[in-house]
Amino acid sequence: MAAQAQTQAQAQAQNIDEVVDGLAGIVREATDAGDRVGYFAALYRQVTVEIRKAIHAGQFEDGPRMDRFDTLFGNRYFAAYDAWRRDRSGPRCWRETFGLLSDADTVIVQHLILGVNAHINLDLAVAAARTSPGEDIHALQHDFLLINDILAGVVLVLEDSVGAVSPLLSLLDKVGGRTDEEILDFSVVQSRQEAWYNAVLLAGQTEAEREATIERLDVRAAVLARLIARPGLLVRPALELIRGTESGDVGAVIAHLDGAMERASAGRGATG
């Protein structure tokens, strides 16, 4: 990894703007290097940009709190990313995710869902509980749930974008591995619901209890990562066919994914 992106990631972000900048640095360097870490980073950057837009538009009950929340959330990703680059350490679920970056047999959508799994099933609850500890966690619920709508919009756009570089992705529909809200047996909506439950749990725990809960969440997310990476026999033939038709130009795929929301916005403007 080039030094520029490493420096950006290693520095703790102080606000959501710095999270966006750090993610953009990772995406830029991954595009140049042909590093698959850029697949999820591109998705994550666009989600973060949309959350920042919502903060600026006054859509959240407490914009400054959401800025702090998103900054804590982003720093969890940066810390895991840096630990992996440094000495292959970090949370189990992120080690499972980053460990497949050099595996050409893992299709694009698997890389995306692996990142989403680790970040939602581990990092999201931790960041929420640290943003609003104790009884304050309940005041966060409205804004926490509002992110679901933002995430759903980005995922829909990204599905279309992935389809352009992975033409047979729709095969997963036909073998029961993918629906509008579920991909390779991973439900984004269900995971975010569980993350809220775990955030409330963490917010009310002692430090020792929190450490035990975070450990449990990490183990569970790591198990899910293995299932996403190596799904059941029914889905495997479809994944082999998908793999054979996907673009092999990693840098071009990252650039394509990273421009998905901009293209969608431009399209809406042209037809508006």
Side-chain angles (χ1 to χ4, degrees), residues 59-219:
Q59 294 179 24
F60 293 107
E61 289 182 345
D62 189 332
R65 182 181 60 195
M66 287 308 297
D67 191 303
R68 294 193 303 275
F69 171 47
D70 197 271
T71 302
L72 287 167
F73 192 36
N75 281 333
R76 295 268 319 168
Y77 171 72
F78 293 147
Y81 173 79
D82 289 341
W84 172 258
R85 291 294 184 184
R86 183 175 59 252
D87 56 12
R88 299 300 189 259
S89 64
R92 289 180 180 85
C93 58
W94 279 114
R95 295 201 306 267
E96 292 284 343
T97 299
F98 293 138
L100 290 166
L101 293 175
S102 61
D103 184 359
D105 289 337
T106 305
V107 302
I108 295 167
V109 72
Q110 284 175 290
H111 284 293
L112 292 172
I113 297 302
L114 282 163
V116 170
N117 165 60
H119 212 28
I120 290 181
N121 281 323
L122 175 62
D123 297 333
L124 187 60
V126 177
R130 288 180 177 169
T131 301
S132 299
E135 290 300 314
D136 290 346
I137 190 66
H138 300 291
L140 181 64
Q141 184 173 15
H142 175 273
D143 286 350
F144 182 97
L145 296 177
L146 182 57
I147 297 176
N148 284 345
D149 297 334
I150 295 171
L151 179 62
V154 176
V155 168
L156 283 174
V157 171
L158 260 291
E159 283 182 352
D160 292 339
S161 187
V162 173
V165 291
S166 184
L168 294 185
L169 182 61
S170 60
L171 279 177
L172 290 179
D173 288 326
K174 297 177 174 59
V175 297
R178 176 174 176 266
T179 66
D180 287 343
E181 295 176 347
E182 189 169 347
I183 303 173
L184 295 173
D185 294 326
F186 180 87
S187 171
V188 175
V189 172
Q190 179 181 340
S191 292
R192 287 194 58 86
Q193 290 171 344
E194 292 177 358
W196 174 250
Y197 167 82
N198 289 320
V200 174
L201 178 65
L202 286 165
Q205 290 182 327
T206 65
E207 186 61 35
E209 290 170 335
R210 279 194 294 272
E211 289 181 7
T213 298
I214 291 170
E215 175 77 5
R216 175 179 59 80
L217 295 177
D218 188 14
V219 169

Side-chain angles (χ1 to χ4, degrees), residues 7-26:
T7 299
Q8 287 176 321
Q10 287 167 356
Q12 287 281 298
Q14 300 300 309
N15 52 54
I16 195 171
D17 291 333
E18 292 185 6
V19 174
V20 172
D21 291 344
L23 291 169
I26 292 173

Side-chain angles (χ1 to χ4, degrees), residues 227-246:
L227 294 174
I228 294 164
R230 292 172 286 278
L233 293 175
L234 185 64
V235 176
R236 289 177 192 173
L239 288 176
E240 291 177 3
L241 288 172
I242 291 168
R243 186 181 306 118
T245 61
E246 283 190 341

